Amino acid sequence: MVQAIDNRTDLTARLVGTGPHPRLDTWDQAEVTVLDAEPVAGYADLLSRNVGQRMLLAVPGGLLADAEPGSTIRVRARLAAGEAMAERRPSPGHFAVEPPR
């Protein structure tokens, strides 16, 4: 059995689109372009390699309810079972949506 690496990365991304997650009932799946990534102290950083690329990001349902394409998303995320996932219950300051400019 492979041991999962405890990891976290603070991402800044541009929202391309969003819809229901195909496997997780209460989650959405966002397509984003990663603009920046910062490691989180004490955790492995497994998502920084995606800067400048599009990727899919699982986000708890409702957090992107008012977001529109072009919005900037700031999120703490991790790689779990090969999928990028936002924190289920983000702490204050670890999830934000800024409208497009």
Side-chain angles (χ1 to χ4, degrees):
M1 177 182 243
V2 176
Q3 180 70 23
I5 297 172
D6 198 9
N7 67 94
R8 301 284 185 284
T9 306
D10 287 332
L11 298 176
T12 301
R14 179 97 50 233
L15 181 64
V16 176
T18 187
H21 194 283
R23 292 184 322 281
L24 303 173
D25 289 337
T26 60
W27 291 67
D28 293 325
Q29 186 174 62
E31 182 177 1
V32 300
T33 300
V34 181
L35 305 173
D36 190 34
E38 294 292 328
V40 175
Y43 294 95
D45 173 12
L46 302 181
L47 295 173
S48 286
R49 68 176 185 258
N50 294 296
V51 171
Q53 299 179 22
R54 281 195 181 179
M55 64 180 254
L56 296 176
L57 176 67
V59 179
L63 290 180
L64 294 175
D66 296 327
E68 57 188 89
S71 296
T72 299
I73 301 169
R74 298 181 194 287
V75 58
R76 181 161 286 176
R78 66 187 176 100
L79 189 63
E83 180 172 23
M85 300 184 74
E87 291 181 314
R88 179 181 296 271
R89 291 176 197 83
S91 302
H94 291 161
F95 189 91
V97 177
E98 300 168 9
R101 295 180 185 184

